[in-house]
Amino acid sequence: MFDPKNVSLGIAPIGWCNDDMPELGGENTFQQIVSEMALAGFTGCEIGNKYPKDPAELKKALDLRGMRIASRWYSSFILTRPIEEEIADFTANLDFLAAVGANCINVSEQSYSIQGQMDTPVLTGGHKHVMNDEEWDRFCAGLNTLGKIAVERGFKLCFHHHMGTVVQTSEETDRMMANTDPRYVFLCYDTGHFTFAGEDPLAMLKKYVDRVGHVHLKDMRLPVVEEARKNNWSFLQAVRNGAFTVPGDGDVDFDPVFKVLSDAGYQGWLLVEAEQDPAKANPLEYAMKGRKYIREHTGL
């Protein structure tokens, strides 16, 4: 289905240690995290809050385990800070990624984001910021600026649609994609966030598969999503209560997703990203479960 020379498998550290809620997995060390990733059969990962800040130290630890950095999360604030500051921050992140041999960066616009607010409902109450036309123009122009810088450095800027942010829905994703330059801005396609938002992840993939630069494989427990809606949970409360899990453990149908990506000749990372409470969902056990599912369903 996929050519292993062109498609690599990674996993995010968020199942071991949570950046938004550092108390989740606070006991797990960097060495343990990357060792367990490798033990589960993954060859790459993204960057978490336990990772060394020295790229040489990070690269050495990963090299020892046959691992490499696939990408990293980058919080942009295009709407709320001067573009010069944005460019400086973005460039510093590219410098770090270049030093560890990565070529992809996942950008999420965090201006007015409610994803990190513990008590703000994410599905009800209309708390999510909705951009006006002027903000849309500034946002898309800013993404093009950052994306051009990325391309000139040999990187892909992959925009991460995300619950609680200004680009959450299919409509918002459509507008962002339509108003950014396909040479500079790619999509970090996330099965879980489209599902959580009540959208059709397969339809969105079919629409944008030629601009997908990075893939997050995130499964959803839909009964928990329904609980989140009924109980006015925040994004973080939904995470704590198990809304997300690894592929094959929830309600997302991944087989057609794999087929669309494969038929389109996708090249890049398939990255398992399943934030759970490690005290409830043993990270190594779930990493192995996700890896087994991917092997059985893709041959990778």
Side-chain angles (χ1 to χ4, degrees), residues 111-164:
S111 298
Y112 312 115
S113 172
I114 61 169
Q115 79 176 61
Q117 298 176 9
M118 183 59 76
D119 298 317
T120 304
V122 73
L123 289 174
T124 55
H127 297 282
K128 191 189 87 64
H129 184 79
V130 176
M131 288 188 281
N132 60 34
D133 290 344
E134 184 182 346
E135 288 173 321
W136 269 108
D137 290 345
R138 175 172 175 151
F139 169 62
C140 292
L143 281 183
N144 282 334
T145 297
L146 299 182
K148 188 171 189 290
I149 292 168
V151 166
E152 289 169 351
R153 295 279 303 271
F155 282 85
K156 281 186 175 179
L157 183 162
C158 301
F159 188 82
H160 192 342
H161 57 98
H162 197 287
M163 294 299 295

Side-chain angles (χ1 to χ4, degrees), residues 14-68:
I14 202 162
W16 283 264
C17 61
N18 193 296
D19 289 351
D20 290 324
M21 296 177 284
E23 67 276 13
L24 294 189
E27 70 283 1
N28 294 324
T29 67
F30 163 71
Q31 299 280 348
Q32 175 192 344
I33 292 166
V34 291
S35 294
E36 291 187 355
M37 288 172 169
L39 185 61
F42 293 95
T43 57
C45 59
E46 293 181 355
I47 295 174
N49 60 40
K50 297 293 184 70
Y51 283 41
K53 301 297 185 281
D54 177 358
E57 182 185 347
L58 174 56
K59 191 170 186 308
K60 181 181 179 182
L62 294 176
D63 286 346
L64 284 171
R65 296 162 173 83
M67 297 270 291
R68 55 203 171 104

Side-chain angles (χ1 to χ4, degrees), residues 82-278:
I83 193 65
E84 295 79 14
E85 289 181 24
E86 193 62 58
I87 289 170
D89 192 8
F90 184 72
T91 301
N93 276 266
L94 292 183
D95 290 343
F96 186 95
L97 287 169
V100 294
N103 63 3
C104 179
I105 184 165
N106 301 333
V107 174
S108 174
E109 177 64 19
Q110 288 297 296
S111 298
Y112 312 115
S113 172
I114 61 169
Q115 79 176 61
Q117 298 176 9
M118 183 59 76
D119 298 317
T120 304
V122 73
L123 289 174
T124 55
H127 297 282
K128 191 189 87 64
H129 184 79
V130 176
M131 288 188 281
N132 60 34
D133 290 344
E134 184 182 346
E135 288 173 321
W136 269 108
D137 290 345
R138 175 172 175 151
F139 169 62
C140 292
L143 281 183
N144 282 334
T145 297
L146 299 182
K148 188 171 189 290
I149 292 168
V151 166
E152 289 169 351
R153 295 279 303 271
F155 282 85
K156 281 186 175 179
L157 183 162
C158 301
F159 188 82
H160 192 342
H161 57 98
H162 197 287
M163 294 299 295
T165 71
V166 292
V167 181
Q168 170 179 298
T169 65
S170 60
E171 183 181 1
E172 288 163 342
T173 304
D174 287 340
R175 186 163 178 178
M176 184 273 294
M177 296 294 277
N179 290 282
T180 52
D181 192 324
R183 296 174 298 172
Y184 303 142
V185 178
F186 299 84
L187 185 66
C188 173
Y189 168 75
D190 190 304
T191 52
H193 281 278
F194 277 136
T195 302
F196 198 157
E199 310 292 4
D200 181 345
L202 186 61
M204 294 302 286
L205 177 60
K206 288 177 177 176
K207 191 183 294 189
Y208 296 116
V209 67
D210 292 337
R211 282 180 72 181
V212 170
H214 195 66
V215 174
H216 279 171
L217 301 176
K218 188 197 295 281
D219 212 340
M220 298 294 306
R221 297 184 178 105
L222 289 179
V224 181
V225 175
E226 194 47 44
E227 285 290 305
R229 186 183 302 279
K230 280 197 311 192
N231 297 315
N232 298 318
W233 286 346
S234 65
F235 175 73
L236 298 183
Q237 286 169 326
V239 170
R240 279 184 177 275
N241 283 285
F244 295 130
T245 186
V246 297
D249 191 51
D251 296 297
V252 174
D253 185 1
F254 284 92
D255 285 332
V257 168
F258 292 143
K259 185 176 189 314
V260 171
L261 287 166
S262 173
D263 288 350
Y266 173 73
Q267 298 186 17
W269 287 91
L270 298 178
L271 198 123
V272 174
E273 191 200 34
E275 54 263 54
Q276 301 191 76
D277 182 349

